[in-house]
Amino acid sequence: MMAASGTDEIVEILARKTGGEEQALSDLLLEARGKETRWFATLIERDLATEVDCYSSWAEALGLEFYRLDERKLDPTTLHRIPLDVAKRHRAVAVDDDDGILTVVLEDPFDLLTVDAIQEVVNSSVQVGISTPTAIDRALRRQERGTTGIEGLIASFRGSDADQELLADAEKLQEVAGDNAVVQLVDYITEDALRSGASDIHLEPQRDSFRVRLRVDGDLELLHSFPLFLHRPVVSRLKVLANMDIGESRKPQDGRFMLNEDEEGGVELRVSTLPSIFGEKMVMRVLDKKSVCLELEKLGIARHNLNLFRSGFKRPNGLVLVTGPTGSGKTTTLYAALRELNAASRNLVTVEDPVEYDLPGTTQVQVDAKADRTFANALRSILRQDPDVVMVGEIRDAETAAIAIQAALTGHMVLSTLHTNDAPGAIFRLIDMGVEPYLLGPALRAVLAQRLLPTICDRCASPADPTPEILQACGFAADKPPEGLRDAKGCNACRDKGRSGRLAIHEVLPVDGTLSRLISAGAPEAELMDAARLAGYQRLMEDGRSKACEGRVALEDLLAVARAE
């Protein structure tokens, strides 16, 4: 099943990982009478190595897989393949079940009696992996919670003799699982998403399963794969919470509901459904109002860019835009600007779809297609209300763009968002929408573009050694990497990703007199860019390079959203 223990090799690997002396490590191994687990306990007690160092070195020496057993990556179905009493007795955790082979994680891979016992119980071949005692304890506690909680409920569904087609019926499901089964499952999904810091929850029907994925730090991760018959009851429950039509499954719908609304701020979930060939896909955007920062100084905008942005929206009138892809934080940046403009002497009005944050002292209008309250129609009405500052959630069409430009030219400060790849792209996007250049030039004051990048995990960060190709692509000398670059390989704190959290990089296009005249004249892009640089414009890559040299983002992640040219 596996190679010999390879004590010489494990000593060598452990010395390399910890920087310890091989002879000293060998002596301690002899004192432990060659028993690896006893030796590891001594090393950990004397702070000569960590638990992960010890057990991962053992796995490497034996050619076995080392598992960190991150709770969020444990599949509950696989976890329950070994009955809880057997798992606790043998300290065994099932992590994978593929092609009739069950992968079981142990702290001692030479415990052949345990392997035989598990093979007999699960009636399957067993492949062994290694993990730390602490991680195994944590996984067993997870399994124990699941046995009596919602995971046990799911496991019982899988073993139920009931017709799974019938279980898609809410009444039959209640009969088999109890009245609160679906409520518990929905609570379980949302609580796990909030605990993970997810920005979005994806509920996706597949051909043979119901998949739940979370977007954490910009990446989609699988949370669970449930039986397909649970899809319809779960979606129906969420539709009820979001005040949506549970009888309508052929058309897209939108809704929202609050979690923890008794607490200050609370968490809002914005729900969207989309019919697919296997059923309705539902995506929920998570907006944790307690964690949102609405202060420009704390949004990570470089001082140079912040001064240019402020000089735009602090003008008495004009149009200021924030651009970027969906989910890049555009609305948060706009609200932070609105917060600075919010004063008793100003009349601030917003029109949004939906209203993102509550901002005391302002009038906030929700777009409603059924009431014919579109962006354009609402904006017309707002301009009759003597506003000083108007925030339009998004310029989506030519009509809204034309009204926004007219408002900017008639004494109002208008702030809005636009979907473009960079700040200069906003000029050409508005012209494509039908805005005349001779109107756009005098109206536009500034455009801020932003992107979100994953930040390097401080717990496992180390100096980076980028390739010459990456350095060159980022605008650095290929043979001279700057100081401060970091990268990370992953640890328990960041779920082995090497990334934890996100930060924004920015570029600001300030529209001064020269650039305004060039826009009005319909000047070519190259001429506009030359004038923009003279006015202080710096590309996203320049801000990204600064943050990379501070050790906050990796060059590879920067290249994914920006280019040096």
Side-chain angles (χ1 to χ4, degrees), residues 382-421:
I382 287 168
L383 294 178
R384 303 188 194 105
Q385 296 274 313
D386 185 32
D388 297 296
V389 180
V390 180
M391 195 271 269
V392 182
E394 183 183 347
I395 295 178
R396 296 177 178 174
D397 52 55
E399 188 179 12
T400 305
I403 300 170
I405 292 291
Q406 288 297 330
L409 290 171
T410 54
H412 307 90
M413 172 51 65
V414 180
L415 296 92
S416 189
T417 68
L418 200 63
H419 287 278
T420 62
N421 290 328

Side-chain angles (χ1 to χ4, degrees), residues 199-201 242 244 254-258 267-273 282-287 289 331 352-358 366:
S199 60
D200 300 89
I201 307 169
M244 298 160 72
D254 296 294
R256 62 199 327 194
F257 66 96
M258 293 291 296
V267 178
E268 185 176 61
L269 294 181
R270 297 197 181 138
V271 185
S272 170
T273 64
M282 178 176 280
V283 176
M284 295 186 284
R285 170 70 59 87
V286 181
L287 179 62
K289 299 188 177 182
T331 304
E352 306 166 71
D353 183 23
V355 173
E356 296 271 355
Y357 308 111
D358 295 327
Q366 169 80 45

Side-chain angles (χ1 to χ4, degrees), residues 80-141:
H80 289 285
R81 278 294 310 277
I82 305 175
L84 180 61
D85 60 332
V86 176
K88 291 175 71 175
R89 186 186 321 130
H90 296 289
R91 295 182 52 73
V93 179
V95 295
D96 192 23
D97 189 2
D98 188 30
D99 292 332
I101 299 175
L102 184 68
T103 301
V104 176
V105 171
L106 307 172
E107 62 184 75
D108 183 355
F110 293 103
D111 188 352
L112 300 181
L113 292 177
T114 287
V115 174
D116 290 341
I118 292 173
Q119 285 185 151
E120 186 175 343
V121 169
V122 300
N123 193 27
S124 172
S125 296
V126 167
Q127 179 175 290
V128 173
I130 299 179
S131 190
T132 65
T134 299
I136 288 173
D137 285 339
R138 191 168 57 238
L140 290 173
R141 286 197 297 272

Side-chain angles (χ1 to χ4, degrees), residues 193-476:
L194 298 183
R195 187 166 53 248
S196 304
S199 60
D200 300 89
I201 307 169
H202 292 243
L203 309 175
E204 303 163 319
Q206 305 293 295
R207 186 179 298 278
D208 300 312
S209 64
F210 166 36
R211 184 171 67 176
V212 179
R213 294 191 293 172
L214 305 180
R215 189 175 294 280
V216 181
D217 295 339
D219 295 327
L220 272 175
E221 302 175 0
L222 180 66
L223 176 64
H224 283 303
S225 183
F226 294 130
L228 182 59
F229 65 80
L230 287 174
H231 168 256
R232 280 168 54 190
V234 167
V235 167
S236 295
R237 165 65 181 166
L238 288 165
K239 281 183 175 181
V240 170
L241 291 174
N243 291 316
M244 298 160 72
D245 184 354
I246 63 172
E248 178 58 74
S249 60
R250 296 172 298 173
K251 296 179 182 178
Q253 293 190 69
D254 296 294
R256 62 199 327 194
F257 66 96
M258 293 291 296
L259 295 175
N260 308 325
E261 57 184 327
D262 292 335
E263 301 174 14
E264 186 177 350
V267 178
E268 185 176 61
L269 294 181
R270 297 197 181 138
V271 185
S272 170
T273 64
L274 182 68
S276 75
I277 60 173
F278 298 124
E280 287 180 285
K281 174 176 178 175
M282 178 176 280
V283 176
M284 295 186 284
R285 170 70 59 87
V286 181
L287 179 62
D288 187 351
K289 299 188 177 182
K290 299 189 294 297
S291 65
V292 172
C293 173
L294 294 180
E295 295 181 42
L296 280 175
E297 298 284 354
K298 296 180 180 179
L299 292 182
I301 306 176
R303 179 56 54 185
H304 170 79
N305 286 329
L306 183 55
N307 289 339
L308 292 178
F309 185 48
R310 274 203 177 114
S311 69
F313 71 74
K314 289 292 181 76
R315 302 272 287 276
N317 56 64
L319 175 65
V320 173
L321 298 170
V322 178
T323 77
T326 301
S328 61
K330 299 186 297 296
T331 304
T332 301
T333 302
L334 271 190
Y335 263 93
L338 274 180
R339 191 171 176 271
E340 292 196 4
L341 293 173
N342 194 7
S345 59
R346 289 194 182 100
N347 178 17
L348 274 73
V349 186
T350 76
V351 52
E352 306 166 71
D353 183 23
V355 173
E356 296 271 355
Y357 308 111
D358 295 327
L359 191 61
T362 66
T363 301
Q364 296 174 277
V365 178
Q366 169 80 45
V367 167
D368 186 347
K370 292 180 181 178
D372 198 28
R373 195 161 61 236
T374 63
F375 276 115
N377 290 343
L379 191 49
R380 286 193 190 92
S381 300
I382 287 168
L383 294 178
R384 303 188 194 105
Q385 296 274 313
D386 185 32
D388 297 296
V389 180
V390 180
M391 195 271 269
V392 182
E394 183 183 347
I395 295 178
R396 296 177 178 174
D397 52 55
E399 188 179 12
T400 305
I403 300 170
I405 292 291
Q406 288 297 330
L409 290 171
T410 54
H412 307 90
M413 172 51 65
V414 180
L415 296 92
S416 189
T417 68
L418 200 63
H419 287 278
T420 62
N421 290 328
D422 54 20
I427 297 171
F428 307 107
R429 176 76 179 118
L430 288 171
I431 292 173
D432 286 343
M433 281 185 173
V435 176
E436 295 292 344
Y438 73 88
L439 296 175
L440 180 58
L444 195 59
R445 297 288 178 262
V447 183
L448 179 145
Q450 65 183 58
R451 296 288 191 282
L452 291 180
L453 293 180
T455 48
I456 293 169
C457 174
D458 288 327
R459 293 279 296 274
C460 58
S462 60
D465 185 22
T467 65
E469 292 77 18
I470 289 178
L471 287 169
Q472 244 178 338
C474 290
F476 294 118

